[in-house]
Amino acid sequence: MLNRRTFVKAGLASVAIASMPKLVMAMSENNVFHLTAKKTNYALVSGAANSELWTFNDIVSGPEIRVVKGSEITVIFKNELDEPTSIHWHGIRIDNKMDGVSGLTQDAVLPGEEYIYTFTVPDAGSFWYHAHNMSWSHVARGLYGALIVDEITPLFDKDHDITLMLDDWKLDSQGKLDIKSLGSLMEWAHAGRLGNLITVNGKFRPEIKLKQNENYRIRIINVANSRVSAFDINQLDAKIIAYDGQTLASPRKINYSPLIIGPAQRVDLLITPKKNEPFKLIDLGSNEPYEIAKFIIKPNLIAPPPVPKLVPNKLLEPDIGNAIKQKIEIQGGAMSGMRAPIYRGKRMSMMDSMRNKQVWALNGIANLGENPMFEVKRDQTIIIDFLNDTSFMHAMHIHGHHFKILSRNGTTDNEQARRDTFMIGPESTTTIAFVANNPGKWLLHCHMLEHASGGMNTWFKVS
Ligand SMILES: [Cu+2]
């Protein structure tokens, strides 16, 4: 039986430790970038056979796109794969036409074709881009990259601003990406696709070099299909700078552990190594602690410089008193008593639900219908009450907007964080609010990609 530990051992036995896996920067001229989706042979475990991955520009963790807040960027996308695909710019409060959702805001880009995305990035922060056509397969194969928007005056210089994209790969007994299990009903109806190798920027357990007594912004982006990561950040003496690309007013120490970073979520940490001692980034989200990376500290006997003053983005404050309300019940999956959902306008039989792998639903409906789940007038505040009536945790993502988390399980949320993706546990409730100020057709779905394709996916309209 192959398990995570086998790979950890194989990895350690066969490889020299990977060095600092800095992301490759996307080259641009006047903010024009080129991304080409293609097949790439890549050994995920050193010494193992190559896997056929699908990547942007042949790079595992696609090239990092880095731009300044407020700029307009153009991405010339070419699809050199055999399947249609598209690119979604996760967390960007974007012009709806450019959101990249195949089947809702655009048709998928056919093999051999080109598509041009042009949009403005209104917020400084940590974002990412990924395929949004059959994403359960395309993202699992490697179609993603970081999109980092700098403040007009960057708070940290490039040596002190580090992006770590965490991915979770499912490898077969040869150490190659397990393609056969992609799309299995087992994965779709349970906790999604869970792998056995976690990489950082495409490398297994890298070493990251930091200098003692200097301030670092560490941007953690969870790009896994479904794995929920968790970290004891107090053990790292870290503070939170930002959630999902939205910078806080000041660095925040948390008084709980672990900090959960679910699929598609981002957390920026402030880390200032005080001691000349290495430390590890340990993922506590699995059954056993999993070492993800090791920080190596170079001695540096200076007094730590002051932490730069954080600059939050300007987001509209929800008008709670005049809000409209919507309830969303998350249903289905294994171990649930859900009645077969409505799919493409018809109530399915249980057999059809399994056959179509539509085993999840939002308010009784699996996947996108012709009509939106709800419609909001532009600039209206909406409060959404989510009830998770399933046996699994979910990562609910809203396109085109950031929301405020008002309460969880009836208790006011202390942090009132602005996010684009929130985690909700089994049999739990969460209430969020946002000003629907971005017109268009927007997706609302679980970012555990098997759950989304399996039905936990809907859309709403801002008119
Ligand atoms: Cu889910």
Side-chain angles (χ1 to χ4, degrees):
M1 179 71 188
L2 184 76
N3 60 28
R4 176 190 302 280
R5 184 165 265 184
T6 321
F7 276 108
V8 172
K9 279 194 188 135
L12 282 181
S14 59
V15 218
I17 303 276
S19 63
M20 169 63 189
K22 268 223 159 166
L23 287 170
V24 176
M25 299 291 292
M27 305 293 278
S28 83
E29 215 167 281
N30 301 321
N31 282 341
V32 177
F33 297 86
H34 293 263
L35 289 180
T36 301
K38 48 168 77 171
K39 293 179 182 175
T40 302
N41 289 317
Y42 187 83
L44 283 159
V45 181
S46 184
N50 278 341
S51 298
E52 184 197 277
L53 303 186
W54 296 4
T55 68
F56 290 107
N57 299 6
D58 270 333
I59 300 166
V60 182
S61 283
E64 177 175 291
I65 294 181
R66 196 145 195 143
V67 287
V68 176
K69 173 177 171 151
S71 45
E72 186 184 84
I73 76 170
T74 297
V75 178
I76 300 170
F77 169 52
K78 183 148 199 244
N79 183 7
E80 289 184 359
L81 298 168
D82 304 327
E83 283 186 18
T85 193
S86 64
I87 310 179
H88 169 57
W89 313 94
H90 187 111
I92 302 291
R93 297 186 297 125
I94 201 168
D95 178 359
N96 188 244
K97 295 193 294 294
M98 295 291 135
D99 201 37
V101 177
S102 69
L104 186 69
T105 64
Q106 69 168 91
D107 292 329
V109 182
L110 297 174
E113 308 236 302
E114 232 176 57
Y115 193 89
I116 297 177
Y117 293 96
T118 300
F119 55 92
T120 300
V121 288
D123 299 323
S126 304
F127 303 96
W128 63 298
Y129 60 90
H130 62 83
H132 215 302
N133 187 55
M134 294 174 67
S135 29
W136 53 274
S137 160
H138 292 195
V139 175
R141 294 168 189 260
L143 284 172
Y144 61 79
L147 169 51
I148 305 298
V149 182
D150 279 317
E151 294 81 9
I152 289 162
T153 309
L155 302 183
F156 295 80
D157 67 29
K158 65 176 181 18
D159 292 332
H160 296 84
D161 191 322
I162 297 170
T163 305
L164 305 180
M165 300 199 93
L166 310 187
D167 200 0
D168 173 38
W169 306 85
K170 189 166 183 174
L171 306 186
D172 65 16
S173 56
Q174 314 296 309
K176 289 167 73 168
L177 183 65
D178 181 350
I179 301 293
K180 273 192 224 122
S181 62
L182 273 171
S184 88
L185 181 61
M186 188 68 184
E187 290 182 351
W188 286 37
H190 290 81
R193 183 174 175 85
L194 299 177
N196 44 22
L197 183 90
I198 300 180
T199 57
V200 177
N201 302 348
K203 301 261 174 11
F204 170 68
R205 198 173 281 173
E207 285 187 349
I208 300 165
K209 294 191 174 72
L210 305 179
K211 283 189 188 153
Q212 188 185 1
N213 291 324
E214 295 190 5
N215 298 320
Y216 290 87
R217 178 179 197 149
I218 309 284
R219 304 171 186 263
I220 299 179
I221 306 180
N222 184 351
V223 302
N225 273 38
S226 285
R227 180 172 296 283
V228 176
S229 286
F231 302 97
D232 182 353
I233 65 163
N234 290 325
Q235 217 193 354
L236 307 175
D237 203 14
K239 290 180 179 166
I240 294 172
I241 298 182
Y243 290 110
D244 293 354
Q246 296 301 342
T247 306
L248 306 177
S250 57
R252 186 179 294 162
K253 203 170 159 60
I254 56 169
N255 59 4
Y256 59 88
S257 178
L259 172 74
I260 288 177
I261 307 182
Q265 290 191 309
R266 290 87 68 210
V267 173
D268 294 8
L269 296 177
L270 171 70
I271 293 186
T272 311
K274 302 266 167 54
K275 291 186 202 142
N276 168 23
E277 280 170 17
F279 56 93
K280 292 170 177 174
L281 186 63
I282 308 275
D283 190 343
L284 303 171
S286 313
N287 293 336
E288 298 173 41
Y290 187 104
E291 182 186 333
I292 285 191
K294 191 174 184 182
F295 292 98
I296 304 293
I297 312 303
K298 194 175 165 200
N300 187 19
L301 294 171
I302 57 162
V307 175
K309 189 171 165 19
L310 304 186
V311 186
N313 299 305
K314 288 198 173 71
L315 295 176
L316 293 174
E317 196 55 39
D319 178 5
I320 300 298
N322 294 303
I324 58 164
K325 286 199 168 192
Q326 174 71 37
K327 274 200 163 74
I328 298 183
E329 202 172 316
I330 304 168
Q331 301 149 325
M335 300 174 278
S336 86
M338 181 181 71
R339 189 173 168 212
I342 290 169
Y343 179 53
R344 296 182 172 155
K346 284 206 185 95
R347 172 144 336 256
M348 290 182 287
S349 66
M350 223 49 199
M351 276 306 288
D352 282 343
S353 158
M354 309 280 262
R355 201 173 296 135
N356 292 306
K357 290 196 285 181
Q358 295 303 301
V359 291
W360 301 94
L362 296 171
N363 291 350
I365 299 172
N367 248 307
L368 306 189
E370 218 150 276
N371 297 315
M373 174 184 273
F374 56 89
E375 202 168 331
V376 200
K377 286 235 153 52
R378 189 177 180 172
D379 296 330
Q380 170 80 52
T381 292
I382 178 161
I383 296 176
I384 308 181
D385 285 315
F386 285 88
L387 163 64
N388 178 6
D389 193 17
T390 77
S391 304
F392 296 87
M393 191 184 251
H394 301 290
M396 302 310 295
H397 172 46
I398 291 183
H399 285 222
H401 300 80
H402 274 74
F403 48 80
K404 187 183 248 190
I405 298 177
L406 299 180
S407 63
R408 295 178 197 265
N409 298 316
T411 305
T412 303
D413 187 85
N414 287 331
E415 294 194 88
Q416 302 275 302
R418 301 282 194 151
R419 302 208 73 139
D420 57 48
T421 307
F422 72 93
M423 302 304 297
I424 184 167
E427 307 299 330
S428 298
T429 64
T430 300
T431 301
I432 65 164
F434 60 96
V435 182
N437 62 340
N438 198 355
K441 297 169 161 185
W442 300 107
L443 219 56
L444 185 164
H445 63 100
C446 181
H447 218 287
M448 292 169 167
L449 300 174
E450 292 71 29
H451 291 177
S453 304
M456 208 183 291
N457 190 26
T458 189
W459 66 284
F460 65 99
K461 190 172 173 184
V462 180
S463 47

